[in-house]
Amino acid sequence: MLIQRIKISNYKTYLSLDLDLTVDDDRPIILIGGANGGGKTTLFEAISGALYGLKIENKEHFMELLNQGALNTAKPEISLQITFVGKVLGQQQKYILKRVYQLNPQGKPLESVSLNMNGNMYVYGTMTAPKDRVKAEQEINKIIKANLPQELSQYFLFDAMQSSELLKKNVFAQTIRDNFENVLGFKKYLQLKRAAEKLQQEWAQQRLEAEKEAQEYNELCAQKDKLTADLNTCIAEQDTKYKYLASVEVEYKRAKDGAQEASALNKKIQELASKIDDIVKRAATYAEDLKAFVDNIEIDLFLPKLASNLAQEINNILHIKEQLQKENTGAYPLETLKDVTNKIITYLKDLSLCSESVDEEQVVSHIVAIQNSTNKEDPFGYLDEAEVTALSNLVKRTGSNQFIALDRQRQELEIQLSTLDNLRSQKQTLEQTQAGGNEYLIQNYEAAQKQIEKLKSQEATLKADIQRLEKRIHQFDVQIQQEPDIKFDTLVKLKPLFEKIADSLLKKKKAQIESEMQQQLNKLLVSYKGHVAKVELSDSIEQFEDCSGLTSISFGNGVEDIGDDSFNATGFITLDIPDNVKRIGISTFGNCHQLKSLTLGRGLETIEDGAFESCEDLEEIRCKSLIPPKAYLRSFKSYLITLFVPTEAKRDYESTAPWFNFVDIRGWDFGGVNSIEKGTVNAFVSNNTVVVNGANVGDLLEVYDVAGRLVYSGTDTTISVPTKVIYIVRVAGQTFKVAL
């Protein structure tokens, strides 16, 4: 199938588009580029919609798809028309397929479809009579499916951003299994293989005369049919689970990553929140301190300043008061005098030592007079005790000028406040990007994975049971064969004949596909253009269902870079990367589950991340390069395998990441220019040149790079070469390794 033209009207970002996609045979590639939102993905959606329909559900859905420029038209409609050519049953056909969508007065979406196939018209619409519509729709769908089944369309109609993900999805294997036989023309051959067996079983059933044997035979066949149905159901359930895993793979990874990083992310958010709260609290504290400073400025600053100016006078008053208090310590208060005098006179009267006529008031007055005559007069007697205490506290109080401390606090706070917006922005960003981990999605995804493993085990059990039943059924076939029957004998003889013919046709078809794949790779793939020498598919059709049909490929000498994902999920068992290859791309040989032995060439420089990921059956790696190639920890699935390296480079591998992770690193003589011999001739490096001493005049000198390519051949003993490269020097039957 080859698309020649696409016309779009009123669909999403396209008000009107008429795009000619016709190509020349020698220039078969069209590149479409544009900024994000420019309509690249919409173009692919329009192509898919033209082929398989838009499936518009309701008025709201129609309005979402309708270009805004068509809203004011009398009858807004969406129109998609695609022109393409393709071969059906060996005949070249040209198709013009058009789909138009409108709304009826009740707001219900209507569809009309027309297909012009070399002048033959097929037309139907929503309003077409059901009988006529079903017939026309079946014819159109049959034609489209013959060119490109919808299940396979996603692997042909996608933008570059989708390519790696499409190849990694498990659903790819199921899609191939569903469509491979039909698309490649294998189905009729497989039917031929099964035809003889079916005829044989049918005739055997007719020939069983014994009712018991016939019943047992029928029961065995019924059991086999049931088990086969159960097996198909089991496979279908696996397919459903694979499709579910593929549909939510991206969300699951995000959720998984989010769950793993949630703790660290929350900690960062809490740290930022703590910093923000601390700055806000510091600002509040500064505001309170500033208010207290202003409110108490008279007490804390002005009053102590005034007291310092009057300190001498106040201290004098306090000193006089203190001296008077010390000198007058013998004086008694009036109430005390009255009480003591009353007690003494009463005591004396009781002892008849004093006259009963003694007047207590006179005695007290006399004592007070005597006391006053001896006490000094207080010049500050007008000051009460509280006022004296206040004066004492005033001279003791020192000025507390907090302005300097407040100003320092202000400066520090300004610096912290300048970071507050940035801290809040960081916190908001972390909160917005916080994955958090969708536990429900994670549980469902991992549960589906476990169910797949369970279903695989069930599948293996069912296959074993079917094989057991087939053996028992075969016993009946043997019994039947013992009884002469011309028709049955003929069927028995025809069965291997049918199988032989079918196998021969399958091999012929496979060889044709291999040749076409080789031609297409050499024609289309820039990295391998003209250098793919051989492509081999598996002899077993069943292996295609695991996307492992490609078992061998040979590269020519011109391949230096094997691109990303190029041979992901292929069926290689052994793999030999030639010496001319310098780079192996990201996930290039990932998911090659059958790969057991890997040989890396002498010229390899870089092994990208995931190049051999999920190659869990890999048992050994032989790396011929004298310089450990640049690699990543995830370049290989496991390091619990044997690594063979050039003997002279073993220490280099043992000290270079990630190569030193291999538990078993062994030196190996790979032969060729990697063999280092000792002799009397000496080769060394000086000023970006290779210098050879000790060779005879006229001795042939050869310089190779580590990939085995000849760099120089001649009789000069001083050769200029590029720097930072290891070279192999051969002269006088001896070999040397030199490094610049």
Side-chain angles (χ1 to χ4, degrees):
M1 171 182 185
L2 188 63
I3 299 174
Q4 294 182 333
R5 195 179 204 91
I6 178 72
K7 292 183 179 180
I8 306 172
S9 294
N10 303 326
Y11 179 67
K12 289 192 174 182
T13 57
Y14 294 107
L15 182 63
S16 179
L17 176 69
D18 188 353
L19 184 61
D20 188 354
L21 298 173
T22 306
V23 296
D24 299 328
D25 292 339
D26 58 341
R27 303 177 66 187
I29 298 175
I30 298 176
L31 298 179
I32 300 176
N36 291 337
K40 301 185 298 296
T41 301
T42 302
L43 176 62
F44 286 103
E45 292 175 354
I47 295 174
S48 178
L51 288 172
Y52 312 110
L54 291 178
K55 309 294 188 298
I56 301 178
E57 301 173 357
N58 47 44
K59 180 180 179 180
E60 289 73 19
H61 189 195
F62 177 85
M63 299 306 293
E64 289 177 6
L65 300 179
L66 185 69
N67 185 277
Q68 297 299 307
L71 291 176
N72 298 324
T73 58
K75 276 190 173 182
E77 67 176 29
I78 299 172
S79 175
L80 304 174
Q81 179 177 309
I82 185 171
T83 303
F84 61 95
V85 296
K87 281 188 178 180
V88 178
L89 300 177
Q91 298 294 320
Q92 183 80 11
Q93 306 283 355
K94 182 176 181 179
Y95 308 90
I96 302 175
L97 177 61
K98 184 176 182 179
R99 298 179 186 268
V100 180
Y101 299 89
Q102 294 178 331
L103 294 177
N104 67 6
Q106 291 75 37
K108 183 179 179 180
L110 301 178
E111 180 190 42
S112 61
V113 184
S114 65
L115 175 65
N116 184 336
M117 184 180 73
N118 286 352
N120 298 319
M121 294 295 300
Y122 301 87
V123 180
Y124 75 88
T126 307
M127 304 304 293
T128 308
K131 183 178 180 181
D132 296 335
R133 175 180 176 175
V134 169
K135 185 177 180 181
E137 189 173 7
Q138 287 177 345
E139 290 294 329
I140 292 177
N141 290 339
K142 186 189 299 182
I143 291 170
I144 296 172
K145 188 174 182 179
N147 285 275
L148 181 61
Q150 188 173 3
E151 295 87 351
L152 287 178
S153 63
Q154 61 176 314
Y155 302 102
F156 294 87
L157 302 174
F158 60 86
D159 56 38
M161 298 296 292
Q162 296 175 276
S163 58
S164 61
E165 292 300 320
L166 286 171
L167 293 174
K168 292 179 181 179
K169 290 181 179 179
N170 291 324
V171 72
F172 181 72
Q174 171 57 22
T175 306
I176 292 297
R177 184 169 64 227
D178 291 341
N179 295 278
F180 201 88
E181 293 179 2
N182 187 49
V183 172
L184 297 183
F186 287 164
K187 194 171 184 178
K188 54 182 177 289
Y189 305 138
L190 296 175
Q191 288 175 342
L192 181 62
K193 289 186 69 172
R194 298 162 187 156
E197 182 180 1
K198 186 177 181 181
L199 288 171
Q200 187 174 326
Q201 287 183 351
E202 291 177 352
W203 186 247
Q205 186 175 351
Q206 297 176 13
R207 288 198 60 239
L208 289 173
E209 298 177 355
E211 183 178 348
K212 184 176 180 180
E213 291 180 345
Q215 183 178 358
E216 185 178 355
Y217 184 84
N218 291 335
E219 288 177 354
L220 291 173
C221 292
Q223 291 179 28
K224 179 185 175 182
D225 293 339
K226 184 179 181 305
L227 290 176
T228 303
D230 293 340
L231 178 61
N232 294 332
T233 301
C234 179
I235 294 173
E237 289 180 5
Q238 291 183 57
D239 298 337
T240 301
K241 299 298 181 184
Y242 277 126
K243 290 177 180 178
Y244 167 76
L245 294 179
S247 65
V248 299
E249 184 178 6
V250 175
E251 290 80 6
Y252 168 76
K253 289 181 178 179
R254 290 176 181 169
K256 194 69 173 178
D257 293 340
Q260 294 173 349
E261 298 175 3
S263 177
L265 196 59
N266 288 332
K267 186 178 180 180
K268 291 181 180 179
I269 294 174
Q270 291 173 2
E271 288 175 354
L272 290 173
S274 178
K275 290 180 180 179
I276 293 170
D277 291 340
D278 183 64
I279 294 173
V280 173
K281 289 178 181 178
R282 286 176 181 267
T285 302
Y286 172 76
E288 292 174 0
D289 292 343
L290 185 62
K291 184 178 182 302
F293 175 78
V294 174
D295 292 341
N296 300 313
I297 192 170
E298 294 180 354
I299 298 173
D300 294 335
L301 188 62
F302 298 146
L303 192 57
K305 185 69 174 178
L306 179 62
S308 66
N309 296 330
L310 300 173
Q312 185 175 354
E313 289 82 2
I314 294 173
N315 287 328
N316 186 43
I317 293 172
L318 294 174
H319 180 71
I320 293 172
K321 296 287 283 186
E322 184 179 0
Q323 290 297 321
L324 288 173
Q325 185 180 2
K326 290 179 179 179
E327 293 176 0
N328 297 334
T329 53
Y332 295 96
L334 183 59
E335 294 298 319
T336 303
L337 285 174
K338 287 182 178 181
D339 182 66
V340 173
T341 301
N342 176 266
K343 290 180 179 178
I344 293 173
I345 293 175
T346 301
Y347 178 75
L348 292 175
K349 285 181 179 181
D350 290 341
L351 296 177
S352 299
L353 299 175
C354 178
S355 173
E356 292 291 338
S357 61
V358 175
D359 187 355
E360 293 180 13
E361 292 294 332
Q362 290 180 356
V363 176
V364 172
S365 298
H366 180 71
I367 294 172
V368 170
I370 296 172
Q371 184 175 275
N372 289 337
S373 65
T374 59
N375 290 343
K376 293 182 180 179
E377 185 178 357
D378 185 1
F380 306 105
Y382 56 85
L383 297 174
D384 59 26
E385 187 177 350
E387 291 171 333
V388 174
T389 302
L391 287 174
S392 177
N393 292 335
L394 185 61
V395 294
K396 293 178 181 178
R397 188 180 185 91
T398 58
S400 161
N401 189 356
Q402 299 178 352
F403 178 80
I404 297 176
L406 282 172
D407 187 65
R408 187 183 302 111
Q409 188 177 352
R410 177 191 61 79
Q411 293 177 5
E412 294 174 354
L413 187 60
E414 285 180 351
I415 296 173
Q416 292 176 333
L417 287 174
S418 66
T419 65
L420 188 59
D421 290 340
N422 184 39
L423 292 173
R424 285 172 172 167
S425 177
Q426 291 181 37
K427 180 173 175 289
Q428 185 179 5
T429 302
L430 289 176
E431 289 173 342
Q432 290 175 348
T433 58
Q434 188 175 16
N438 189 334
E439 290 296 328
Y440 179 77
L441 176 62
I442 293 173
Q443 291 175 2
N444 284 351
Y445 188 95
E446 294 177 351
Q449 288 180 318
K450 293 180 181 178
Q451 289 171 356
I452 288 175
E453 295 300 321
K454 186 177 180 180
L455 289 169
K456 285 183 177 179
S457 177
Q458 182 182 348
E459 179 185 349
T461 302
L462 289 170
K463 287 181 177 179
D465 292 340
I466 291 173
Q467 289 180 352
R468 177 177 52 80
L469 286 174
E470 286 178 342
K471 288 181 179 179
R472 294 183 63 187
I473 293 173
H474 180 67
Q475 292 177 355
F476 283 94
D477 293 341
V478 172
Q479 175 185 337
I480 295 168
Q481 290 178 13
Q482 295 175 352
E483 302 177 12
D485 189 294
I486 297 175
K487 186 175 181 179
F488 185 80
D489 291 343
T490 303
L491 290 173
V492 171
K493 293 177 181 179
L494 281 176
K495 181 180 178 182
L497 177 63
F498 283 4
E499 291 177 347
K500 185 177 180 180
I501 294 173
D503 289 339
S504 177
L505 292 173
L506 279 170
K507 289 180 180 179
K508 184 178 179 181
K509 186 68 175 179
K510 185 172 76 69
Q512 179 185 347
I513 294 172
E514 289 174 351
S515 177
E516 291 176 356
M517 286 180 66
Q518 180 184 337
Q519 293 175 11
Q520 290 299 318
L521 285 171
N522 280 320
K523 182 178 181 182
L524 299 177
L525 298 184
V526 176
S527 300
Y528 317 123
K529 188 174 181 179
H531 298 294
V532 178
K534 184 180 180 183
V535 174
E536 290 185 6
L537 299 177
S538 169
D539 289 333
S540 175
I541 297 300
E542 287 75 14
Q543 290 193 22
F544 285 113
E545 60 188 42
D546 293 326
C547 300
S548 59
L550 183 60
T551 59
S552 176
I553 189 167
S554 300
F555 299 102
N557 295 330
V559 179
E560 295 186 352
D561 187 307
I562 306 179
D564 301 348
D565 291 306
S566 298
F567 301 98
N568 196 294
T570 49
F572 299 122
I573 298 175
T574 61
L575 185 60
D576 191 346
I577 305 298
D579 292 341
N580 45 274
V581 174
K582 294 181 179 180
R583 175 184 176 272
I584 299 175
I586 299 172
S587 300
T588 299
F589 298 99
N591 298 300
C592 292
H593 303 296
Q594 303 178 66
L595 184 62
K596 295 183 180 298
S597 177
L598 171 65
T599 301
L600 304 174
R602 294 180 173 87
L604 188 61
E605 297 174 357
T606 304
I607 305 174
E608 299 289 358
D609 191 27
F612 298 94
E613 64 181 351
S614 299
C615 298
E616 60 271 1
D617 286 350
L618 192 59
E619 297 175 352
E620 65 175 26
I621 299 175
R622 298 177 183 271
C623 188
K624 297 180 179 180
S625 177
L626 287 171
I627 305 175
K630 178 184 176 183
Y632 300 83
L633 185 62
R634 296 197 307 170
S635 295
F636 304 99
K637 169 68 174 177
S638 172
Y639 291 88
L640 303 176
I641 57 178
T642 302
L643 172 66
F644 295 93
V645 299
T647 302
E648 60 272 23
K650 183 172 179 291
R651 290 187 178 180
D652 293 338
Y653 280 85
E654 291 174 340
S655 59
T656 304
W659 300 96
F660 55 52
N661 291 303
F662 284 95
V663 297
D664 186 11
I665 302 178
R666 303 181 185 182
W668 192 264
D669 184 5
F670 292 103
V673 297
N674 277 9
S675 300
I676 308 299
E677 304 168 3
K678 296 182 179 180
T680 57
V681 181
N682 182 29
F684 60 93
V685 174
S686 177
N687 297 324
N688 297 337
T689 60
V690 175
V691 180
V692 178
N693 288 336
N696 297 321
V697 177
D699 282 349
L700 179 64
L701 174 68
E702 295 177 330
V703 180
Y704 298 84
D705 62 14
V706 292
R709 291 184 289 258
L710 184 65
V711 177
Y712 172 81
S713 179
T715 57
D716 294 338
T717 56
T718 303
I719 306 99
S720 298
V721 291
T723 59
K724 299 181 180 179
V725 179
I726 292 180
Y727 290 95
I728 307 299
V729 180
R730 274 185 173 175
V731 60
Q734 300 172 44
T735 304
F736 305 89
K737 181 177 70 172
V738 295
L740 278 72

